[in-house]
Structure formats: structure tokens, C-alpha cells
Amino acid sequence: RKEVEQDPGPFNVPEGATVAFNCTYSNSASQSFFWYRQDCRKEPKLLMSVYSSGNEDGRFTAQLNRASQYISLLIRDSKLSDSATYLCVVNSFNTNAGKSTFGDGTTLTVKP
Amino acid sequence: NAGVTQTPKFRVLKTGQSMTLLCAQDMNHEYMYWYRQDPGMGLRLIHYSVGEGTTAKGEVPDGYNVSRLKKQNFLLGLESAAPSQTSVYFCASGKDRDQPRNEKLFFGSGTQLSVL
């Protein structure tokens, strides 16, 4: 089983739709969580951090459920420019190292 | 402030050749990472470093070596390239001493490597 698993997708939605992505992680000692966005053939870029209380950034809402080891990303009022691959990232730390584990990503295509 | 810079952007090697990828960051980050990404897959950690002079193995270290002689540079070496190492390589850095809780990663633009 992979450490971080995401919905395989792809998600094809019309403009204006609401879409949600899910991510589960297996390491219960994981400490911090993020969503990154990756455009085709480009480097990943941080979209938002995920906090225990849930957090919102404009049309994007991230949720964390530590008990279920589950992270979600909700995109409201989808735009064409939201088309990308969304990567779930989980950080865990041992005594002297930080390690980010990436999910395989979920591809979103927003159509006119 | 250039962020994270990777060189080269593209490279074609023949099986058995060697090469070094250079990653440089100007954000005073402690941690640096090398990932590879294959088509349709997520990023897999090759090696990482938590500070100058230190390196550690990631998920897929075989066939690669790294060095972090200076805090701002992290080198990835392929001693004898194999076709299985054809991939896109991303360098990343994160975590500076002034903001220890800042765990965001900043990525270079990637290196497309083809091994024939």
C-alpha cells in the first residue's frame, strides 16, 4: 500500500462546477499536509497548506481528518485555469530529517 | 532572488555515460531534495539533505549519488546511466532556520533526461 493515495481521476468538469479530491495517508505520525498544483511539464507549486481546523483560500477549501487519516480539497466555481494535476503531500519527521511524500496526483480538466 | 535553479534543463545520454545535475537555491534553506517523476506518476524521492555536508537515501536511491558540499548547492550524479533512469528530475528546497515551521517546498523547473 502506498503511503499517500489519491483518487486516480481524471476529473472532467464543466466551468462553474464544484469538485472535490480526496487523499488518504498511512503514517499516523505524519505532521503536516499540503496540496500542490502541477501544470503539464512544469514543476509543482504549493497551492495551500492543510490545517486541522480546515482552511479556505478563495474558491479552495482544504480539510484534514487526523482520526481517519484523510485530506480533501474542494474547488468551487471551477475555472478553465484550474485545469492541472493536484498533488497531495504529507510530511513526516524522524529525529533529524524531514520527508515529504507525494501522492500520484489527480488530474482535473475544466471544460467550457 | 532566483529561488531554485536546476541545470541542465534537457540532456540525452547513452547507456553507461555519467552526468551531474546541479541544483542551486538562494533562500538559505536547510533541506534540499532530488525527486524523479515518471509519466502518470507522482514524485519519488531519490536522495535528500538536511544540511551542508549531510545526505540521506530516499525511496529510489539506487544508481544515483549526491553531494552537498555547500548549503546552497545539491548535486545529483549518475555514474553509469541506464534507460530506466529516463525521467524528469526535480530539485526542491525547504525549511530555513529562521522559519522552522515553514515546511513548504520550492521546486526547480526540472530536468528532462533521456537515456538511450
Side-chain angles (χ1 to χ4, degrees):
Chain A
R1 182 189 172 191
K2 292 183 179 180
E3 282 191 52
V4 178
E5 295 201 65
Q6 294 186 238
D7 285 348
F11 286 69
N12 298 301
V13 303
E15 269 187 294
T18 295
V19 61
F21 305 140
N22 302 319
C23 173
T24 58
Y25 61 95
S26 60
N27 184 354
S28 59
S30 298
Q31 298 179 329
S32 54
F33 311 88
F34 306 87
W35 284 100
Y36 281 72
R37 170 191 170 130
Q38 186 175 26
D39 293 294
C40 187
R41 298 182 179 277
K42 301 279 190 178
E43 72 273 22
K45 292 184 179 179
L46 179 68
L47 178 66
M48 59 196 302
S49 304
V50 186
Y51 302 119
S52 297
S53 56
N55 49 297
E56 190 174 303
D57 183 2
R59 297 181 292 108
F60 299 84
T61 301
Q63 296 278 352
L64 168 64
N65 184 322
R66 285 189 183 271
S68 301
Q69 297 181 197
Y70 171 96
I71 305 160
S72 66
L73 176 67
L74 181 77
I75 305 175
R76 292 182 300 277
D77 189 22
S78 299
K79 311 293 184 188
L80 295 177
S81 57
D82 293 335
S83 298
T85 296
Y86 292 83
L87 304 170
C88 172
V89 181
V90 174
N91 283 11
S92 59
F93 296 86
N94 58 23
T95 55
N96 63 355
K99 176 188 169 188
S100 296
T101 302
F102 285 74
D104 287 348
T106 300
T107 299
L108 171 66
T109 301
V110 181
K111 299 182 176 180
Chain B
N1 189 337
V4 180
T5 304
Q6 277 182 245
T7 54
K9 293 189 184 300
F10 303 95
R11 186 72 186 269
V12 178
L13 292 178
K14 294 181 180 180
T15 297
Q17 286 185 316
S18 63
M19 77 162 295
T20 300
L21 280 67
L22 172 63
C23 178
Q25 53 96 1
D26 61 3
M27 296 174 283
N28 200 36
H29 284 161
E30 297 296 324
Y31 293 2
M32 296 186 75
Y33 307 82
W34 276 106
Y35 290 90
R36 62 176 287 174
Q37 186 175 36
D38 299 302
M41 297 182 67
L43 282 81
R44 292 185 292 169
L45 183 63
I46 304 171
H47 286 280
Y48 63 101
S49 168
V50 300
E52 182 179 315
T54 71
T55 63
K57 294 181 179 179
E59 182 185 355
V60 287
D62 294 341
Y64 305 95
N65 57 75
V66 288
S67 64
R68 183 113 181 256
L69 298 179
K70 294 182 179 180
K71 184 177 183 179
Q72 63 268 34
N73 295 336
F74 194 29
L75 279 64
L76 178 71
L78 285 73
E79 291 185 345
S80 179
S84 61
Q85 294 177 304
T86 294
S87 188
V88 178
Y89 292 83
F90 288 104
C91 174
S93 72
K95 198 157 188 153
D96 58 76
R97 289 193 185 277
D98 294 332
Q99 298 184 53
R101 294 194 61 79
N102 182 1
E103 300 155 4
K104 295 181 291 187
L105 293 182
F106 295 83
F107 283 84
S109 58
T111 297
Q112 173 68 62
L113 175 65
S114 297
V115 183
L116 307 178

